[in-house]
């Protein structure tokens, strides 16, 4: 079974530029998550999708971050404009539908904003 | 409110030593789930275990064991006879039934196993 795929692995941009990350979850997983992991901290949930609907985006900075999962499969997370404090690893995860099933994570995209 | 505390920022041991990683959690829900994940240098989070709040039975899987104690709100993780390949960051996480599958992570413990 293929794992969660993310691209790119690394990205360096200047502040105020825009950037987009892509995630393809494990086949058949209805739930998709984007987490932000700042260096030295645990991951923090940004947004959770169930199929193509948003379940939780309470911690997404909506003035600059957006995410979509139009066909209920792969997803894109965008930051526009980026700030220095957005430097982090962005992790995508997926899980089967149902309560508290384990989430499987991709390798993440390491974003550096300079 | 959900909160997970991993007080140990970094632990260094010599190969073959046993090591315990501490995790303390806070929740108001009676139904919740606790997780441990391993993050090797490659970056992805690897699922290790999930326990629900109604099952306090300790679990052993090879060199790994977990001790869940509701009385102290702790879910500690022990690695027996540590190996260099165990070197990683370990995260404890909590999800509450009322919040679906949202995971709240601790800050992580860096484990360094030296040969």
């Amino acid at each position: 079974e293929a794992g969660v795929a993310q691209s790119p692995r690394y990205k360096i941009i200047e502040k105020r530029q825009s950037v987009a990350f892509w995630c393809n979850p494990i086949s058949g997983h209805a739930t998709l998550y984007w987490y932000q992991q700042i260096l030295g901290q645990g991951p923090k949930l940004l947004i959770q999708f169930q199929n193509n609907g948003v379940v939780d985006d309470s911690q997404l900075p909506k003035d600059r971050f957006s995410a979509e999962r139009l066909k209920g499969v792969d997803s894109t997370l965008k930051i526009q404009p980026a700030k220095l404090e957005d430097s982090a690893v962005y992790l995508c995860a997926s899980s089967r539908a149902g309560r508290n099933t384990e989430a499987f994570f991709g390798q993440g995209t390491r974003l550096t904003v300079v | 409110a959900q909160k997970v505390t991993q007080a140990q920022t970094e632990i260094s041991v010599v190969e073959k030593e046993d090591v315990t990683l501490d995790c303390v959690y806070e929740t108001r829900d009676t139904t919740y789930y606790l997780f441990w994940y391993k993050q090797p240098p490659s970056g992805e989070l690897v699922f290790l275990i999930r326990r629900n709040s109604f099952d306090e039975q300790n679990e052993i899987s090879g060199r790994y064991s977990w001790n869940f104690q509701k009385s102290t709100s702790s879910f500690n993780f022990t690695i027996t006879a540590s190996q260099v390949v165990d070197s990683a960051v370990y995260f404890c996480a909590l999800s509450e039934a009322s919040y679906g599958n949202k995971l709240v992570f601790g800050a992580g413990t860096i484990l360094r196993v030296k040969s």
Side-chain angles (χ1 to χ4, degrees), chain A:
Chain A
E1 181 180 70
V4 177
Q6 290 189 248
S7 67
R9 285 295 314 276
Y10 305 93
K11 191 74 177 178
I12 301 174
I13 62 171
E14 295 183 351
K15 59 183 179 184
R16 291 188 288 274
Q17 285 187 325
S18 62
V19 64
F21 313 129
W22 175 81
C23 171
N24 191 29
I26 293 173
S27 178
H29 281 193
T31 308
L32 184 147
Y33 318 78
W34 283 102
Y35 284 84
Q36 179 193 58
Q37 185 178 15
I38 293 172
L39 186 65
Q41 298 180 19
K44 181 186 79 173
L45 180 69
L46 292 176
I47 189 166
Q48 177 181 342
F49 292 95
Q50 182 78 13
N51 297 309
N52 60 349
V54 175
V55 174
D56 184 346
D57 63 356
S58 57
Q59 297 192 88
L60 186 74
K62 298 180 184 65
D63 57 334
R64 298 183 301 105
F65 285 65
S66 65
E68 60 184 16
R69 192 184 184 199
L70 293 176
K71 296 181 179 179
V73 181
D74 57 346
S75 175
T76 303
L77 176 69
K78 297 180 182 177
I79 307 175
Q80 182 179 11
K83 294 185 175 181
L84 296 177
E85 59 261 37
D86 298 332
S87 294
V89 175
Y90 291 85
L91 293 162
C92 180
S94 69
S95 67
R96 299 185 189 281
R99 283 207 166 166
N100 296 292
T101 55
E102 61 263 34
F104 295 87
F105 286 78
Q107 289 189 300
T109 296
R110 182 177 298 277
L111 173 67
T112 303
V113 182
V114 298

Side-chain angles (χ1 to χ4, degrees), chain B residues 4 10 13 19 23-24 28 39 42 44 47 51 53 61 64 68-69 78-79 86 88 92 94 97 100 112-113 115:
Chain B
V4 176
E10 185 170 339
V13 299
V19 58
C23 173
V24 175
R28 291 178 183 172
Q39 188 173 45
S42 59
E44 69 185 279
F47 167 80
R51 301 310 300 270
S53 53
S61 175
Y64 295 170
F68 176 26
Q69 291 194 338
T78 297
I79 301 175
D86 296 327
C92 181
L94 164 73
R112 302 190 196 278
V113 182
S115 58

Side-chain angles (χ1 to χ4, degrees), chain B:
Chain B
Q2 302 168 295
K3 185 177 180 181
V4 176
T5 302
Q6 294 180 256
Q8 304 150 308
T9 303
E10 185 170 339
I11 301 175
S12 289
V13 299
V14 177
E15 210 170 16
K16 297 183 184 177
E17 284 186 12
D18 298 347
V19 58
T20 296
L21 309 180
D22 297 333
C23 173
V24 175
Y25 61 92
E26 294 177 28
T27 178
R28 291 178 183 172
D29 270 22
T30 55
T31 303
Y32 54 90
Y33 297 79
L34 296 164
F35 300 77
W36 275 95
Y37 280 86
K38 173 182 179 180
Q39 188 173 45
S42 59
E44 69 185 279
L45 285 159
V46 178
F47 167 80
L48 296 178
I49 190 171
R50 177 184 71 239
R51 301 310 300 270
N52 72 57
S53 53
F54 299 108
D55 183 6
E56 286 193 73
Q57 192 171 12
N58 292 331
E59 182 159 340
I60 298 174
S61 175
R63 296 184 298 107
Y64 295 170
S65 63
W66 291 269
N67 182 277
F68 176 26
Q69 291 194 338
K70 288 178 75 171
S71 61
T72 56
S73 297
S74 65
F75 186 45
N76 297 337
F77 173 30
T78 297
I79 301 175
T80 303
S82 59
Q83 299 176 3
V84 173
V85 294
D86 296 327
S87 297
V89 184
Y90 290 86
F91 290 97
C92 181
L94 164 73
S95 70
E96 296 173 332
S98 56
Y99 285 94
N101 288 353
K102 172 183 175 179
L103 287 168
V104 173
F105 286 86
T109 297
I110 300 170
L111 175 63
R112 302 190 196 278
V113 182
K114 303 175 184 177
S115 58

